[in-house]
Amino acid sequence: MNIVLFDKDLRITDHQPLSEAAKLGEVLPLYVFVPSKWQGTELSVRHLQFVIESLEELSKQIQEHGGELFFAIGEIEAVLEELLQSFGSINVFTHKENAVKSTAGVKWIAENKQQLMTYGPDLEGVSNKLLNSVLKSYLVEPVNDSLKRIEVPAHVPGILFTDLRKLQNFKVEGRKIRFGQQGGELKGFETLDSFLEGRFANYIENHQKPIPSSLSSSRLSAYITWGNISVRTIFQRTSERIQSCESEKEKLQLEDFLSKLVSRAKICNGTKVIDNNSNEGQLKKEWNEEWYQHWINGKTGIPIIDAAMRSLDKTGWLNFTLRGVVLSFICKSLLQDCRKPSEGLAKLFLDYEPVIHDFHVLQQSGISGKGKIINPVKVGKQLDPEGAFIRRYVPELNRIPEEYIHEPWLYPGFYSLGYEPPIVDVVKANKQARLHYQRINDNRKESKVKKNLETEQLSFDL
Ligand SMILES: Cc1cc2nc3c(=O)[nH]c(=O)nc-3n(C[C@H](O)[C@H](O)[C@H](O)COP(=O)(O)OP(=O)(O)OC[C@H]3O[C@@H](n4cnc5c(N)ncnc54)[C@H](O)[C@@H]3O)c2cc1C
């Protein structure tokens, strides 16, 4: 039996595994809810909600092609074993990206001598020098639209089901989203269309600004993460749109957007993840649970941090700059170990993609002892000068005069506002952090000198 295994490719357009498998006759489109992937991990109920919305739509699309989308709950090896028992032999069709993430599934297929067919850009082992050209040639290849009819088997094993209501008892932790984006291919395409129709006009200028960026950015990240739309489709539609741009300014906006899309694909090709046992991870051991709780719940008393964290909680999205600001505050200014904040943010970002997330956490959290320490009050004034973003998400500060919006503790009537006093004096905390990093750098230099001396000593003896 030819099985199409869906994971982070929840769409029907530009889905080569599905169209290739369908050409061969009967096919079993399948999505498996793997408990060990969903429970006690960085994934949360908002991700599950987005996936379910995507699967509901995918299911309808597959039905329109004459087929049926099947679901199973279980560890991947157990599900594949069951399918093998039922069908005698199985060929699994999937995207390379899914296969890389499902090492257990790949191992099981190899050990049981079944077939695995993978599709997508072949970037494994490609040097950084060649990566650009290999990636570009994949992105310009025509998108796959050869899918006609899907024939599914008349009888399937009892572990499979088609009604998502069976997931009622599949419990996943976390906070449900309140005003977030909805999953599904249609919504992904609508988001791309509205971006290319005009939302992109001030993409560069608005990129860092909290409220304008939520309209001017593409907002495609969650659709890309869950595969509601392929990067190749976005790349080609945008390239076409660039051809019809009427001004150089318009063109520049879309070219900047495309460069981000390509850099995403490059980051995804890397494997750098936060290693709990590495020296980097051990660098900062301090932990203050009270500070963390204030931070994750948007109650630090520092307006831009609280507005960002509350907005993330409600919408599942933050622009790049604000992601860096909130992370820098907890990890660099407050000198907290980055692992729990990283996990906390992952649960809230609807677009959570482990490789990208870890890549930026490593860059922005000061794990390496390098990088600038941000003053969130100063940055708040630059990003949100009139405090419109703060007022939207921190209602306690709704009526405070503009001159105090970034430093409400200076407002004479502060205690009547019902807003938190700041958990730290930012200037003092940053001063301490600078000393901390200075010590790390001095130690590094010292151990380097020591190492050099040892080598010199060794060469003398020889
Ligand atoms: C600490 C931290 C964690 C992050 N975690 C994630 C994550 O888990 N998933 C994720 O998709 N992005 C992550 N980002 C990158 C970035 O913030 C988001 O991709 C971006 O804000 C998504 O909004 P958009 O779709 O409107 O982006 P746009 O600016 O419209 O960009 C278009 C697309 O390009 C990609 N992209 C844009 N910027 C980046 C970037 N800096 N790195 C990698 N890809 C990029 C995204 O897929 C995005 O949808 C993180 C950034 C930081 C600082």
Side-chain angles (χ1 to χ4, degrees), residues 365-427:
S365 64
I367 256 183
S368 57
K370 291 180 192 151
K372 212 173 152 201
I373 298 170
I374 296 169
N375 178 331
V377 176
K378 262 194 195 164
V379 169
K381 287 178 184 172
Q382 287 159 5
L383 297 177
D384 187 33
E386 283 126 38
F389 177 64
I390 293 174
R391 285 182 210 278
R392 181 178 288 185
Y393 289 103
V394 186
E396 302 96 297
L397 299 179
N398 237 338
R399 272 180 267 149
I400 197 171
E402 196 174 310
E403 60 195 291
Y404 297 108
I405 188 83
H406 293 281
E407 293 165 289
W409 51 90
L410 300 178
Y411 176 55
F414 176 70
Y415 286 100
S416 67
L417 296 172
Y419 183 56
E420 307 279 324
I423 54 171
V424 289
D425 176 328
V426 170
V427 176

Side-chain angles (χ1 to χ4, degrees), residues 346-357:
K347 280 189 193 299
L348 296 172
F349 290 152
L350 202 49
D351 59 22
Y352 171 58
E353 180 62 66
V355 181
I356 301 179
H357 187 72

Side-chain angles (χ1 to χ4, degrees), residues 203 207 217-221 264 317 323 351 353 360:
Y203 177 75
H207 207 247
S217 270
S218 73
R219 304 296 309 272
L220 283 164
S221 53
R264 177 197 193 275
W317 184 83
R323 293 184 198 214
D351 59 22
E353 180 62 66
H360 288 300

Side-chain angles (χ1 to χ4, degrees), residues 155-190:
H155 301 289
V156 298
I159 53 155
L160 301 186
F161 56 93
T162 55
D163 186 350
L164 282 166
R165 279 175 299 187
K166 281 217 169 152
L167 276 177
Q168 266 164 357
N169 295 328
F170 191 74
K171 297 283 176 242
V172 173
E173 282 173 17
R175 299 207 277 248
K176 275 205 164 172
I177 212 148
R178 294 182 60 190
F179 306 103
Q181 294 171 290
Q182 248 187 313
E185 183 166 352
L186 210 64
K187 290 271 186 271
F189 272 93
E190 276 171 20

Side-chain angles (χ1 to χ4, degrees), residues 51-89:
V51 166
I52 289 176
E53 286 156 1
S54 305
L55 290 172
E56 277 166 352
E57 194 189 316
L58 182 61
S59 184
K60 277 191 202 136
Q61 288 168 312
I62 290 181
Q63 281 168 7
E64 282 162 18
H65 283 77
E68 195 77 67
L69 176 60
F70 294 93
F71 308 107
I73 302 175
E75 293 306 310
I76 195 75
E77 304 94 315
V79 173
L80 291 175
E81 181 69 49
E82 195 79 31
L83 295 173
L84 180 61
Q85 296 301 323
S86 254
F87 295 115
S89 73

Side-chain angles (χ1 to χ4, degrees), residues 94-104 106 118 124 268 270-271:
T94 196
H95 276 110
K96 278 203 175 74
E97 192 194 339
N98 296 338
V100 168
K101 286 171 188 153
S102 176
T103 41
V106 171
T118 58
E124 213 183 320
C268 282
T271 49

Side-chain angles (χ1 to χ4, degrees), residues 18 28 44 63 69 77 101 120 126 227 251 276 310 333 350 421 429 452:
L18 180 60
L28 188 98
S44 71
Q63 281 168 7
L69 176 60
E77 304 94 315
K101 286 171 188 153
V126 175
K251 220 170 141 182
N276 282 347
R310 293 187 199 184
S333 298
L350 202 49
N452 285 344

